[in-house]
Amino acid sequence: MGVHPFITPSFTSSIKLPWQYTAIDHPIISSLTTALEARAGLIDAQHEGALRLFNGFYEGDPHLVVDLYARTLVIFNHAEPHETGQAAVQTAQEFFLSHLPWVEAIVTKTRYAHTLDARHGRLVYGEKPDRRVREHGTWYAIDLMIAQDASLYLDTRLLRLWAMQNLAGKSVLNTFAYTGSLGVAARAGGATPVVHLDLRRKFLNIAKTSYTLNGFPIHKADFQAGDFWTQTSRARRSGESYDCVILDPPFFSVTPKGRVDLAGDSARLINKVRPLVNQGGYLVAVNNALFISGADYLQTLEELCADGYLAIEELIPVPDDVTGYPQTIRRSPPVDPAPFNHSTKIAILRILNRSSHE
């Protein structure tokens, strides 16, 4: 099984890093400086891209994550309720505004805040956050305050690249689609049709906006708002099948129709969609359970492949800006993700024979 290489774009940078930062005397300054230096070559001159500028869990402050979406900073405060984390947030704001003067907006998200708007995000600098980013030549619509995350997952960037490079002319079912980025990438690579399935229509509307940004035609039947369990059962009964099914579920969720539990039962989800994949087709399986080791997840996949009808074709890594770099990492993850490089564990499976699961 191969590992997809990390492809570094050819970017130019306008970052200027002074040897000493004096605006705020905070111990995190050293970590922020080292982290920004490591990522300087990833910031595009047009300021249209998206990347992680600081992953504090690995790089020096477990309460703080800083992402960049075009010209908007999104600062995540993961401090526990008894810790405000505000000093680190304020330091990060001033630090990045000093070094990235072209930033036009800052959104802060406080994980344990009492109010929904504080958890979803507050605009603390600028007039409005950006509404789109460009990645590998494709536009993605974003809504940075629609949920506790930022509406475009940076850890699956290389999976989007894989979809663009491998799914031309293929039919795709994008389950747990959220804002549709994986399906948008497949469509940008020439996949058709691409069906997006998510429980909430407001997320699918963002996927439609991405289609509009890229000039893709919008067909109502390709955007299905409904429960995963109900919709996949219906698809199986009606004989639907696809060349690729993408399975990128939340860590845990419950609906009246079923439960998603990536820590306890990821194999059940894979087997649920397995009959929908054409022979020779791909099943993309993503597991982001932090406390499931890479070895344990790989064992689950190998057990599913033991009957010879399914095979592990490729493992897709998480980009370095998300994981941190050798010179920036100061902490280890709570559970070893190897042979994956992050707790977001991405595997490309190939269907060798459908007959055992028809």
Side-chain angles (χ1 to χ4, degrees):
M1 83 191 101
V3 176
H4 199 289
F6 174 63
I7 299 178
T8 303
S10 176
F11 284 136
T12 59
S13 174
S14 59
I15 297 175
K16 296 180 180 179
L17 294 174
W19 288 108
Q20 186 175 12
Y21 183 77
T22 58
I24 292 182
D25 182 16
H26 193 284
I28 201 176
I29 291 297
S30 175
S31 297
L32 294 174
T33 301
T34 303
L36 187 55
E37 287 174 339
R39 294 161 170 85
L42 296 179
I43 299 178
D44 62 295
Q46 294 75 33
H47 307 309
E48 296 173 339
L51 70 147
R52 179 148 295 166
L53 293 176
F54 182 70
N55 184 343
F57 186 86
Y58 297 107
E59 298 182 299
D61 187 328
H63 301 152
L64 189 68
V65 172
V66 183
D67 291 344
L68 177 67
Y69 290 86
R71 295 175 182 266
T72 300
L73 287 178
V74 180
I75 302 178
F76 298 85
N77 178 1
H78 293 297
E80 297 289 339
H82 63 282
E83 303 170 313
T84 67
Q86 191 55 43
V89 170
Q90 183 64 32
T91 300
Q93 289 181 38
E94 297 195 17
F95 174 86
F96 285 110
L97 283 175
S98 171
H99 294 305
L100 308 177
W102 41 264
V103 165
E104 296 179 350
I106 299 178
V107 172
T108 62
K109 293 173 179 276
T110 306
R111 181 175 183 179
Y112 295 104
H114 296 297
T115 62
L116 186 63
D117 70 316
R119 296 194 298 271
H120 282 193
R122 287 176 172 167
L123 184 66
V124 297
Y125 175 84
E127 296 183 359
K128 60 181 179 180
D130 282 279
R131 302 289 295 185
R132 67 177 188 175
V133 295
R134 196 175 188 184
E135 177 187 279
H136 301 126
T138 300
W139 289 107
Y140 295 89
I142 55 175
D143 184 338
L144 298 177
M145 296 188 287
I146 198 172
Q148 286 189 244
D149 55 61
S151 75
L152 178 72
Y153 292 121
L154 302 179
D155 54 3
T156 52
R157 184 188 308 132
L158 296 182
L159 179 55
R160 288 190 287 275
L161 180 60
W162 176 90
M164 293 178 68
Q165 294 177 338
N166 290 275
L167 298 179
K170 299 186 183 299
S171 57
V172 176
L173 174 62
N174 183 22
T175 68
F176 299 101
Y178 189 38
T179 59
S181 69
L182 297 176
V184 171
R187 184 66 184 82
T192 184
V194 178
V195 177
H196 303 265
L197 170 61
D198 196 87
L199 185 62
R200 305 186 69 177
R201 189 169 298 281
K202 72 174 184 177
F203 297 143
L204 294 176
N205 287 338
I206 296 177
K208 290 180 181 179
T209 302
S210 293
Y211 270 45
T212 300
L213 290 174
N214 291 287
F216 304 151
I218 296 174
H219 304 292
K220 184 177 179 181
D222 293 342
F223 300 86
Q224 300 180 7
D227 183 89
F228 165 82
W229 304 100
T230 301
Q231 293 294 94
T232 52
S233 293
R234 178 203 56 75
R236 183 175 180 180
R237 288 193 304 270
S238 63
E240 292 180 24
S241 63
Y242 299 85
D243 299 316
C244 176
V245 173
I246 300 171
L247 184 65
D248 184 14
F251 166 69
F252 185 86
S253 70
V254 178
T255 72
K257 302 297 182 179
R259 184 177 76 165
V260 172
D261 180 6
L262 292 188
D265 199 10
S266 58
R268 178 175 174 235
L269 282 170
I270 292 172
N271 280 330
K272 179 69 174 176
V273 299
R274 186 170 166 177
L276 298 176
V277 186
N278 291 328
Q279 186 161 323
Y282 297 110
L283 198 165
V284 179
V286 183
N287 185 307
N288 61 9
L290 177 61
F291 292 100
I292 296 297
S293 72
D296 286 345
Y297 184 54
L298 185 63
Q299 181 179 348
T300 296
L301 297 179
E302 289 174 339
E303 290 172 355
L304 288 169
C305 296
D307 60 7
Y309 294 100
L310 186 68
I312 301 171
E313 177 148 314
E314 186 174 0
L315 305 182
I316 304 292
V318 168
D320 291 349
D321 58 293
V322 177
T323 64
Y325 297 80
Q327 69 270 32
T328 69
I329 294 175
R330 303 187 180 188
R331 298 176 44 153
S332 298
V335 176
D336 186 1
F340 304 87
N341 71 331
H342 188 265
S343 59
T344 299
K345 299 169 281 290
I346 307 171
I348 308 297
L349 310 178
R350 177 83 78 160
I351 303 297
L352 303 180
N353 195 313
R354 294 183 65 201
S355 60
S356 67
H357 283 267
E358 289 290 347

